[in-house]
Amino acid sequence: MKRWLMDILCCPVCKGDIVLTVTEENEEEIIEGTLRCDACQVNYPIHEGIPNLLPPESASE
Amino acid sequence: MTDRESTRRRVRERYGKVAREGGFGCGCGPGCCDGRQDPQSVSASFGYSDEEQQAVPKGANLGLGCGNPVALASLKEGDTVLDLGSGAGFDCFLASQKVGASGHVIGVDMTVDMLEKARRNAQEGGYANVEFRLGEIEHLPVADASVDVVISNCVINLSVNKPQVFSEIFRVLRPGGRLLVSDIVLTAPLPDAIKNSSLLYTSCVSGALLKEEYQKCIHDAGFSRITIYGESVFPLNHIISEPELIRTIGSVPLDEAERKRLSDSIVSIKIGAEKKM
C-alpha cells in the first residue's frame, strides 16, 4: 500500500479516520502494518501490501 | 448466517476460484466452454480495442466484464478514479494511463485471490498510481467526496444490497463527480427456476435487477443526469457458467418463443450518472 492512499481511506463502517501503524515498509510502499479505527475499536491489517478493509463481520466469514 | 451473507460468500468463493484458475475459456475453468471463449475475444466483443488489451499486463484481463467503462468515462489528467470490483485490475490499469502521474486509481474487491493477482499485475506493469484494497462495495473504505469518477464493470449485479452500493458511490464522489458502469440488467422478470439458482446468481444472471429498478436505485441514491449510453443483449455464451445456464433454462417448461424472449431479456447496459455540483 502506498502512502498517498491514506488521504482517501476511511473506516468502512463508521467512515471515520483511521490511523496507520507500519511494521514493514520498503522504498515504494507499506508491506505490513495496521490501520486502526479508534471509534469502532477495530484493527484492519495490511498484509503483503494489501489493506484488508472488509467490515469485521464479513472478514471473519 | 443470513441469506445475504451466504450469497456474498458464494460470490467471493466463485471469483476466488476464477482468480486462482485463471482465464480458461470463459473464465470458469478447464473443461468449460471447450476453450471457445478466450478473455481477449470476449473483451473485444465488449468494446476493448486490441491496443487497450495489449497495453496492460498479461493476466489482467480475465474476460469477466460486460462493457468498457473506462472508454465512456472521459477521464482527465489528475482524476481520482475508484473501480468497484476491480478483479485482476484490467480497467484500473487502463484508467491509470488516462489519469497520469498526478491522478490516482483505487480498485476495491472482496476477493483476496483477485487482489493478489491485481497487485502482481500492478508491480509487473510498474503502475505507481494504482492501489488495490480488500473491501466491500456496500461498505467502501473511502472518505466522503474524495473521488472524481467511479467505474464498475459487471459487478454491481452481484451485490446483495444494490441500493446501498449506489448510496456509497454517491457518498464518495465529489460534487460534479460521475458514475460510469457496465452491468447486466433484465428487460423482463426471470422464471423462478433461474431466479432461485445460486450458481446463476454468481454468474451475473439471477442477481440482476430489471432495468427500471436499476435506474431507480441510481436515482434514489441522489444522482442526476442518468444516461443510458448503450444496451445490447448479453450473449449467453459469454456467461461464466454457460453449460449450467443452458441446463437450467432447458429444465424450465418454455416454448421456443418464450425461451428466445428469456435469452433476449438478459442485457448488458452502459449507464452513467452525475452527482450534482
Side-chain angles (χ1 to χ4, degrees), chain B residues 29-46:
Chain B
C32 169
C33 300
D34 307 322
R36 279 173 292 140
Q37 302 284 336
D38 62 86
Q40 285 72 31
S41 66
V42 170
S43 296
S45 69
F46 292 127

Side-chain angles (χ1 to χ4, degrees), chain B residues 14-275:
Chain B
R14 180 74 184 274
Y15 285 88
K17 189 162 178 274
V18 172
R20 287 190 299 277
E21 296 181 356
F24 285 92
C26 64
C28 43
C32 169
C33 300
D34 307 322
R36 279 173 292 140
Q37 302 284 336
D38 62 86
Q40 285 72 31
S41 66
V42 170
S43 296
S45 69
F46 292 127
Y48 291 98
S49 67
D50 287 349
E51 202 181 12
E52 285 173 317
Q53 298 208 41
Q54 281 158 14
V56 299
K58 199 169 179 290
N61 174 18
L62 297 178
L64 297 174
C66 60
N68 179 354
V70 175
L72 284 176
S74 348
L75 300 175
K76 296 189 301 290
E77 284 269 327
D79 275 349
T80 296
V81 179
L82 177 67
D83 182 13
L84 306 187
S86 44
F90 188 20
D91 290 325
C92 288
F93 300 139
L94 293 178
S96 155
Q97 293 159 354
K98 308 237 183 216
V99 302
S102 60
H104 292 132
V105 182
I106 303 129
V108 173
D109 205 289
M110 65 169 178
T111 312
V112 179
D113 295 286
M114 280 293 183
L115 280 188
E116 286 173 352
K117 210 175 169 103
R119 200 175 129 76
R120 277 197 303 276
N121 288 332
Q123 282 171 335
E124 190 186 313
Y127 293 95
N129 62 352
V130 181
E131 271 288 318
F132 297 100
R133 63 220 48 295
L134 201 54
E136 284 178 6
I137 60 176
E138 299 87 355
H139 300 99
L140 289 173
V142 176
D144 296 2
S146 61
V147 172
D148 298 298
V149 180
V150 172
I151 58 172
S152 181
N153 194 350
C154 214
V155 167
I156 298 173
N157 72 79
L158 294 167
S159 168
V160 291
N161 190 345
K162 295 166 185 75
Q164 191 174 327
V165 174
F166 289 112
S167 299
E168 277 287 85
I169 296 171
F170 192 80
R171 179 184 66 78
V172 302
L173 279 172
R174 295 195 175 109
R178 291 168 299 129
L179 160 71
L180 286 139
V181 293
S182 296
D183 209 351
I184 301 293
V185 295
L186 305 169
T187 54
L190 293 169
D192 286 346
I194 294 176
K195 200 164 179 50
N196 299 331
S197 159
S198 70
L199 182 60
L200 293 176
Y201 191 101
T202 62
S203 303
C204 303
V205 176
S206 318
L209 295 179
L210 286 170
K211 189 170 91 179
E212 296 73 29
E213 292 171 345
Y214 198 91
Q215 287 172 277
K216 187 172 183 303
C217 277
I218 298 176
H219 176 267
D220 290 352
F223 283 98
S224 45
R225 296 179 66 180
I226 300 165
T227 311
I228 295 176
Y229 292 99
E231 60 180 279
S232 53
V233 170
F234 192 74
L236 291 185
N237 65 356
H238 286 167
I239 288 170
I240 188 170
S241 61
E242 178 205 357
E244 175 66 19
L245 178 65
I246 302 287
R247 263 198 300 281
T248 311
I249 292 177
S251 71
V252 182
L254 297 174
D255 63 32
E256 205 165 307
E258 288 168 324
R259 198 153 295 176
K260 167 98 172 61
R261 210 171 306 136
L262 166 63
S263 56
D264 286 351
S265 71
I266 304 170
V267 168
S268 154
I269 194 172
K270 293 168 187 160
I271 192 162
E274 198 178 299
K275 178 173 177 173

Side-chain angles (χ1 to χ4, degrees), chain B residues 1-10 160:
Chain B
M1 192 182 289
T2 65
D3 283 354
R4 277 186 175 182
E5 284 164 356
S6 69
T7 301
R8 179 181 287 140
R9 203 194 59 215
R10 280 199 301 273
V160 291

Side-chain angles (χ1 to χ4, degrees), chain A residues 1-2 4-11 15-18 35 46 51 53, chain B residues 106 133 141-143 146:
Chain A
M1 179 187 119
K2 298 181 189 74
W4 59 255
L5 195 73
M6 284 308 292
D7 294 344
I8 49 178
L9 277 189
C10 72
C11 170
K15 316 299 177 189
D17 285 344
I18 41 183
L35 294 161
I46 303 170
L53 287 151
Chain B
I106 303 129
R133 63 220 48 295
V142 176
S146 61

Side-chain angles (χ1 to χ4, degrees), chain A residues 13-26:
Chain A
V13 179
C14 74
K15 316 299 177 189
D17 285 344
I18 41 183
V19 180
L20 172 68
T21 309
V22 177
T23 51
E24 187 188 341
E25 184 172 12
N26 64 22

